[in-house]
Amino acid sequence: MNRWLRLSLIVTAAFFVPVVMAAAQTMKKASALPAVSPETAACVECHTLLNPGLVEDWKKSRHARVTPRDALGKPTIQRRLSAEKIAPGLQGVAVGCYECHGLNPSSQRDTFEHFGTKINTIVSPRDCSTCHPVEADQYARSKKAFAIPNLEKNAVYSLLVSTVTNTKSFKNGVLTGVGSSSNAKNETCYACHGTEVKVKGMKKVSTAMLGDVEMPNLTNMPNQGVGRINPDGSLGSCAACHPRHSFSIEVARKPYTCAQCHVEPDVPAWNVYKESKHGNIFFSKERAWDFDAVPWAVGRDFSAPTCAACHMSLVTTPDGDAIRQRSHDFGDRLWLRIFGLVYSHPQPKAGSTWVIRNKENLPLPTAFTGEPASGFLIDKKEQQERRAGMERLCVACHGSNWAGAHFDKFHATVREADAMVLASTGVMSEAWGRKLVDNANPFDEVLEQKWVTQWLVNANSLRYSSAMGGPDHATFKHGWWGLTKTLEEMREFLKVGKEK
Amino acid sequence: MNRWLRLSLIVTAAFFVPVVMAAAQTMKKASALPAVSPETAACVECHTLLNPGLVEDWKKSRHARVTPRDALGKPTIQRRLSAEKIAPGLQGVAVGCYECHGLNPSSQRDTFEHFGTKINTIVSPRDCSTCHPVEADQYARSKKAFAIPNLEKNAVYSLLVSTVTNTKSFKNGVLTGVGSSSNAKNETCYACHGTEVKVKGMKKVSTAMLGDVEMPNLTNMPNQGVGRINPDGSLGSCAACHPRHSFSIEVARKPYTCAQCHVEPDVPAWNVYKESKHGNIFFSKERAWDFDAVPWAVGRDFSAPTCAACHMSLVTTPDGDAIRQRSHDFGDRLWLRIFGLVYSHPQPKAGSTWVIRNKENLPLPTAFTGEPASGFLIDKKEQQERRAGMERLCVACHGSNWAGAHFDKFHATVREADAMVLASTGVMSEAWGRKLVDNANPFDEVLEQKWVTQWLVNANSLRYSSAMGGPDHATFKHGWWGLTKTLEEMREFLKVGKEK
Amino acid sequence: MNRWLRLSLIVTAAFFVPVVMAAAQTMKKASALPAVSPETAACVECHTLLNPGLVEDWKKSRHARVTPRDALGKPTIQRRLSAEKIAPGLQGVAVGCYECHGLNPSSQRDTFEHFGTKINTIVSPRDCSTCHPVEADQYARSKKAFAIPNLEKNAVYSLLVSTVTNTKSFKNGVLTGVGSSSNAKNETCYACHGTEVKVKGMKKVSTAMLGDVEMPNLTNMPNQGVGRINPDGSLGSCAACHPRHSFSIEVARKPYTCAQCHVEPDVPAWNVYKESKHGNIFFSKERAWDFDAVPWAVGRDFSAPTCAACHMSLVTTPDGDAIRQRSHDFGDRLWLRIFGLVYSHPQPKAGSTWVIRNKENLPLPTAFTGEPASGFLIDKKEQQERRAGMERLCVACHGSNWAGAHFDKFHATVREADAMVLASTGVMSEAWGRKLVDNANPFDEVLEQKWVTQWLVNANSLRYSSAMGGPDHATFKHGWWGLTKTLEEMREFLKVGKEK
């Protein structure tokens, strides 16, 4: 063969090889999914017909595309699962229906016989911990995990819940509270906090394809609250942030997820973020960012933080050096709790806040006049360390001067917000003391509702605004305008004295 | 010729052909637009200079890229037009300026002579029905089509409109209503509901290029309200949801379109959606979805519903089996009307709700104490069928257990919202009965405004929150907090009795 | 060499050349960045380790990718810089750290010795004017540049600020104002308006890598307000709209940027836009638009305006003909100022509005009863020219009929909003006149707060709603409902007379 010809072919090949390989790669990406277990294959066969959207969602997920064995083979910093070992039977197949819905059948009260296989409907954090034990452990310690008892076993908070959701009846000139139904609670506070899911025997569900099918009768569902009490006793719902069958890290890293619960008027984190410079950049540039990369490198994968970046995610430099480690104990990077109930205070030491007692022996993190229930809250040293840790994140993009000055300003603002709440509490106390308002229930009269608005809406708005830099929420959107206006309404209501 | 060389060329070609064809395809896509009619060519010639954005918008539209003949040639389930036949003259050219603005010149009162051609400025649903008759027919039966008379011919609602938009004057210590102008109505309620567009002769418009041009003088424009009364007598504006000259199915399927009108405080559909799990997934994933595919396959084209998916669109499985057929009679998938006026009630039988009479002979779907005006509303059987139809959509992604439990919860919540409105109406009636408030106009005094807030804002917020799963709107964002707080303010205002 | 072979190679080459060149182009795009100065190289070396996100942000910016020399070589209409000449030393290197932070060392009070180089931390509009002098000049004339004195030197506005942010204390039955701190002002009004940044000596900052580093101690930072007074005396912060180290035109053109400050309740521009047809199209289609093109061609690069398109940007036809020239004097396309303080009025002639005096000799653009302070405001002719200029932009996509009718409607609505404010002011005056309310401070009592709400929230909402076509903000979201409801509350509060 002619030398020149061979050269020509080699030159041609040299150009083609990458093109061809890229094409093959693409095809492989699309088609070469790992094997599924026979049980999962059986699930998919029926449920593709019954619930096509659900099955397609899973098919696009990483669970369908990567086996635990391949996942375990990655360098530590790139791993999305934290188990050191995984049962051999689970390692070589896709993480399919059965691999999750068939786990731990003996400890699940919602396990049932389903066409010859033991299935449980609710996949709980305990099930997820099979591959993600570190995340499950961290989560189990967080305030989120205890979101139900923190509301229900706290006599003050649960009175607020039942007062707000108390259905009324008006007869013969009298307005009467009929009571707060579990439905009303599930639709409001417990929608985010979570419900207690119990199994009340079995029920028949009519289906188009298979006639009547027997299934466990689950109470208080549907619910995806962060502290859901599952039939296996575990706390939480991973689907709260990694929704449905895509189990997506991308979705959890986007602020839209946090925005389901952390919204105004009471927790305006999302609203403030939207008006912040961080939010401005996020909305403008998110399409160019990579929300799926592990690790998540500042500057390379994203250029402004979302909620996850500051509060949870493993964040690295583009060279792969960790700036912060991943944490699913939400709140463990925070030193101050600004969701003021009723004043800001150092973060609680433990996730179960209902055990806290203030000096008045109430289950509140501060006294009525603001003093923190220090024994239950993190100490100064821990506060300083957490602040320093947060500043390390800020400094990835800002000068240390900037970061430090930002939090100094934040602390000053939180003090002023607390002062405005204290003044409002003073007026409120005066009203109770003079028996102008009945303190039997501190949440149910007009003046009391104004007082609740002060700390739950206006002061929270000011605090969050400062924390994340969205000034409108400090100014006319609740914030200072709300605090000043409502305090004057309270004063006017009571006709207490005034000096300027 | 050398064998090896020929082989080399064949091998080369084998690799190149797809690349070259793809490139050609791309060029064709961009350039090989169908022929335009001579009339349209004339329009485009001038208007490219006058209104370049408008012309570009059309050029990118499907109307410019596909002829009706090609569109008719597609399999039924992929068709975007519903006419069985289209006039031969329209079939072979792009759907251009003249093909729409030149239709039905005899029945349009806004037709005018424009540089030698008869043109009408407003393209109405009757014009669109040339190719889209099924959609036009469905729409003509919907509540949206009757959005003007449903407000204007309903004495109660139109009193609310004129009370809210009544300009005031303050002179000599007296506040006087000066009246509600048509401008004020057009800017508020009728901006969404639609205006009645009339032709008041011709007027001269000065243009930079062509000097003075005579055009029909249209009243109450611009307006794109859903029930606009057009100069040809037809009802509605397709551009309300398929805006401007792109006539996009993509835009109509995105919730931003519905969000123009269905927003808080009175109709918080969009606001609740944003905070729902569906919204969370939409915002996080919309960039990966195909909003232009017909049919629209769940799981393949989208993984969480937008407004259109549940309320309007033809939705299929990825295999192309229809789950729900397309409908432009908005509301015909719904059984309950939760935009409470003043209570929730079964959906009206017909789009023209102003003919409804309750037992008090008022044009309202419920009596003052909540009983539905059943003769005008769909019956139990129809309600059950519609709910079953909606659940079929839910089950595309959720278990049937989940879907059923969701709507059970929804019904329970709607009942509680109605109970809170009933209690508020009780206090209001007491005030009217005791002549503490004048019921001549039930909407204009402070206590009455609070009562309106109860059903129009707070109860609506609670109902929508439950329907679509955005709990904050059931809790502190209006919802229960709003209902409870405002009811207490009403009680305090009147000093009626209270029991806990 | 064989003829056929040569042909084969030529044919091959003919196909390959574009592919190879495209690949090279891509590589060049990614890698062939212009040279950086030695000073910048030194900055990058350390700061990549210290602030990787910051450095990456810059690396992706146009400043890192195009030298001033290349930028100057472009056709005028495509230029992103307005300097005719640039110092030779700056022309041939990337616009890096030192090229901006090392400018004008003698006039910057925050210049300091930093590892052997003179560095200033704040890059001010004066520094940016090195390459962008036209933009800097325009900006320096705008209301934004004077945002601090316009608030601080205006006795009325600064009283509003200090009243709203006055911390209170409640002791012995008396509510006392403790004063408005500079922190509270910086977190609220001055966060958007800007702070005065001063250098208070040096301070030591501890760093992980380099131990203690001395830096200027800047007061009132961080701040990116539009009227920030910089240590070099210049006004404004370009980073307010071109944030951080990407200096992006894309970000500035997206409405998320304007949305940081122009939000409800007081300036609901963003909120109205979101509910407008323009907003609907923006959200639905923005992913297909080119926000980086210069010039920015309507129809080609975008199909509905963002804030920038109407208010600032150079907008051309797809053929490159200018429809409007770029302006950084925000507001110079507007004729009416609808952010009513307290009534709408013609735009001020100059950016420094604090010098305005109305007929009552107050620094307000209108008298208490609405008459404009005409000497300080643009005249009828200028108003008409500006309106005509705006309509030229509208007509890029709309008929001139549409554009004209839109603004006629707008003017009618603004008149009605002003009438409702006038009636509210009438009630307020009556209260002051009858000494029922103390006018020593016109902003601090309940009735006064309602009056402020009328013009600052409700009337503004109505005016913006009309200007940009978001009807809900004219109806139940503040707007008419807010105006009517609050006026009735004011009347009820005072028990003034009423006629219907």
Side-chain angles (χ1 to χ4, degrees), chain C residues 48 68 139 141 158 219 228 283 311 322 362 420 425 460-461:
Chain C
T48 291
Y139 193 88
R141 291 194 299 268
S158 67
T219 64
R228 193 178 65 194
F283 287 114
H311 297 289
L362 286 169
M420 288 296 279
T425 304
N460 277 358
S461 187

Side-chain angles (χ1 to χ4, degrees), chain C residues 77-104:
Chain C
I77 199 137
Q78 294 176 19
R79 271 191 221 158
R80 292 156 196 262
L81 77 189
S82 54
E84 294 294 320
K85 285 187 193 167
I86 289 171
L90 292 170
Q91 281 203 22
V93 290
V95 184
C97 320
Y98 183 70
E99 284 62 41
C100 299
H101 286 278
L103 281 173
N104 309 315

Side-chain angles (χ1 to χ4, degrees), chain A residues 470-492:
Chain A
D472 197 59
H473 276 77
T475 317
F476 287 112
K477 185 80 181 182
H478 311 308
W480 271 107
W481 173 248
L483 284 165
T484 297
K485 187 168 160 288
T486 308
L487 185 51
E488 178 63 14
E489 288 169 10
M490 292 178 75
R491 195 199 61 75
E492 175 78 28

Side-chain angles (χ1 to χ4, degrees), chain A residues 177-191:
Chain A
V178 180
S180 166
S181 72
S182 69
N183 178 72
K185 289 175 183 166
N186 288 353
E187 287 280 58
T188 53
C189 307
Y190 292 92

Side-chain angles (χ1 to χ4, degrees), chain A residues 59-333:
Chain A
K59 280 187 184 170
K60 290 176 181 166
S61 77
R62 182 165 289 267
H63 277 176
R65 292 183 285 115
V66 181
T67 62
R69 180 174 297 133
D70 289 346
L72 280 171
K74 300 212 166 165
T76 308
I77 200 139
Q78 293 177 20
R79 271 193 220 156
R80 291 155 197 263
L81 77 188
S82 54
E84 294 294 320
K85 287 188 196 169
I86 289 171
L90 292 170
Q91 280 204 20
V93 291
V95 183
C97 319
Y98 183 70
E99 283 64 41
C100 300
H101 286 279
L103 280 174
N104 309 315
S106 59
S107 68
Q108 318 260 17
R109 289 190 203 149
D110 60 334
T111 297
F112 69 115
E113 192 78 23
H114 188 55
F115 298 101
T117 312
K118 283 198 183 315
I119 294 294
N120 59 79
T121 46
I122 292 185
V123 177
S124 77
R126 186 173 302 160
D127 299 326
C128 299
S129 76
T130 306
C131 295
H132 306 279
V134 171
E135 290 72 25
D137 282 357
Q138 290 169 340
Y139 193 87
R141 291 195 297 268
S142 72
K143 287 198 293 293
K144 283 195 170 33
F146 294 92
I148 296 178
N150 284 350
L151 207 53
E152 205 163 63
K153 294 192 178 176
N154 183 315
V156 178
Y157 299 169
S158 68
L159 177 62
L160 178 58
V161 173
S162 62
T163 303
V164 171
T165 55
N166 188 4
T167 302
K168 304 291 190 311
S169 155
F170 185 75
K171 274 180 199 159
N172 308 321
V174 176
L175 194 67
T176 308
V178 180
S180 166
S181 72
S182 69
N183 178 72
K185 289 175 183 166
N186 288 353
E187 287 280 58
T188 53
C189 307
Y190 292 92
C192 285
H193 280 246
T195 54
E196 181 167 4
V197 182
K198 290 188 179 163
V199 183
K200 284 218 167 167
M202 299 292 283
K203 71 170 169 185
K204 279 187 186 154
V205 174
S206 304
T207 70
M209 278 174 55
L210 301 163
D212 284 0
V213 175
E214 280 234 316
M215 290 185 183
N217 184 20
L218 302 174
T219 63
N220 301 319
M221 281 289 283
N223 177 272
Q224 300 170 100
V226 293
R228 193 177 66 194
I229 303 178
N230 299 301
D232 66 358
S234 68
L235 303 175
S237 163
C238 302
C241 306
H242 301 279
R244 303 295 300 157
H245 291 88
S246 69
F247 319 102
S248 163
I249 198 170
E250 173 193 0
V251 172
R253 280 172 172 174
K254 291 194 173 171
Y256 308 114
T257 299
C258 313
Q260 280 199 258
C261 297
H262 296 248
V263 285
E264 63 146 356
D266 47 326
V267 200
W270 168 236
N271 308 78
V272 168
Y273 179 78
K274 284 201 288 186
E275 296 172 5
S276 72
K277 188 50 84 191
H278 289 161
N280 171 5
I281 298 172
F282 164 74
F283 287 115
S284 300
K285 298 296 296 177
E286 62 164 317
R287 281 164 287 289
W289 295 355
D290 185 349
F291 285 89
D292 194 50
V294 172
W296 211 22
V298 64
R300 183 190 70 192
D301 298 323
F302 63 97
S303 53
T306 65
C307 316
C310 295
H311 297 289
M312 281 150 254
S313 296
L314 163 63
V315 173
T316 69
T317 68
D319 291 334
D321 294 326
I323 299 173
R324 289 302 304 255
Q325 294 296 331
R326 186 182 292 123
S327 170
H328 276 66
D329 177 0
F330 308 96
D332 71 358
R333 292 187 187 171

Side-chain angles (χ1 to χ4, degrees), chain A residues 4 275-277 280 284-285 287 299-300 395-398 400-401 413 416 466 472 477 484 497 499-500, chain C residues 5 50-51 53 60 164 173 175 181 183 187-188 203 205 240 244 250 254 257 260 264 286-287 444:
Chain A
W4 281 103
E275 296 172 5
S276 72
K277 188 50 84 191
N280 171 5
S284 300
K285 298 296 296 177
R287 281 164 287 289
R300 183 190 70 192
V395 166
C397 296
H398 296 276
S400 48
N401 229 340
T413 296
E416 294 186 326
S466 177
D472 197 59
K477 185 80 181 182
T484 297
E499 272 176 31
K500 294 202 182 171
Chain C
L5 186 62
L50 285 164
N51 322 100
K60 291 176 181 167
V164 170
L175 194 67
S181 71
N183 178 71
E187 286 280 61
T188 54
K203 70 169 169 187
V205 174
R244 303 294 301 156
E250 173 194 359
K254 291 195 173 171
T257 300
Q260 278 199 260
E264 64 148 355
E286 62 164 317
R287 280 163 287 287
D444 70 339

Side-chain angles (χ1 to χ4, degrees), chain B residues 82-269:
Chain B
S82 55
E84 294 294 321
K85 287 187 195 170
I86 289 170
L90 292 171
Q91 281 203 19
V93 290
V95 184
C97 320
Y98 183 71
E99 284 63 39
C100 299
H101 287 278
L103 281 173
N104 310 315
S106 60
S107 68
Q108 318 261 19
R109 287 189 204 151
D110 61 334
T111 297
F112 70 115
E113 193 78 22
H114 188 57
F115 298 100
T117 311
K118 282 197 184 318
I119 293 295
N120 59 79
T121 46
I122 292 185
V123 177
S124 77
R126 186 174 299 159
D127 299 325
C128 299
S129 76
T130 306
C131 295
H132 307 278
V134 172
E135 289 72 26
D137 282 359
Q138 290 169 339
Y139 192 88
R141 290 194 299 268
S142 72
K143 286 197 293 292
K144 283 196 168 36
F146 294 93
I148 296 177
N150 285 350
L151 206 53
E152 203 162 65
K153 294 192 177 177
N154 183 315
V156 178
Y157 300 168
S158 68
L159 178 61
L160 178 58
V161 173
S162 61
T163 303
V164 170
T165 55
N166 188 4
T167 302
K168 305 291 189 309
S169 155
F170 184 76
K171 275 180 198 158
N172 307 322
V174 175
L175 194 68
T176 309
V178 180
S180 166
S181 72
S182 69
N183 178 71
K185 288 175 183 166
N186 288 353
E187 286 280 58
T188 53
C189 307
Y190 291 93
C192 285
H193 279 247
T195 55
E196 181 166 4
V197 182
K198 290 187 179 166
V199 183
K200 284 217 169 169
M202 298 294 281
K203 70 170 170 187
K204 279 188 187 154
V205 174
S206 304
T207 70
M209 280 173 54
L210 302 163
D212 283 358
V213 176
E214 281 234 315
M215 289 184 186
N217 184 18
L218 301 176
T219 63
N220 300 320
M221 280 291 280
N223 178 272
Q224 301 169 99
V226 293
R228 192 177 67 193
I229 302 179
N230 301 301
D232 67 359
S234 68
L235 303 175
S237 163
C238 302
C241 307
H242 301 278
R244 303 294 301 158
H245 292 87
S246 69
F247 320 103
S248 162
I249 198 171
E250 173 194 358
V251 173
R253 280 172 171 174
K254 290 193 173 172
Y256 308 113
T257 300
C258 313
Q260 279 199 260
C261 297
H262 296 249
V263 284
E264 63 146 357
D266 47 327
V267 200

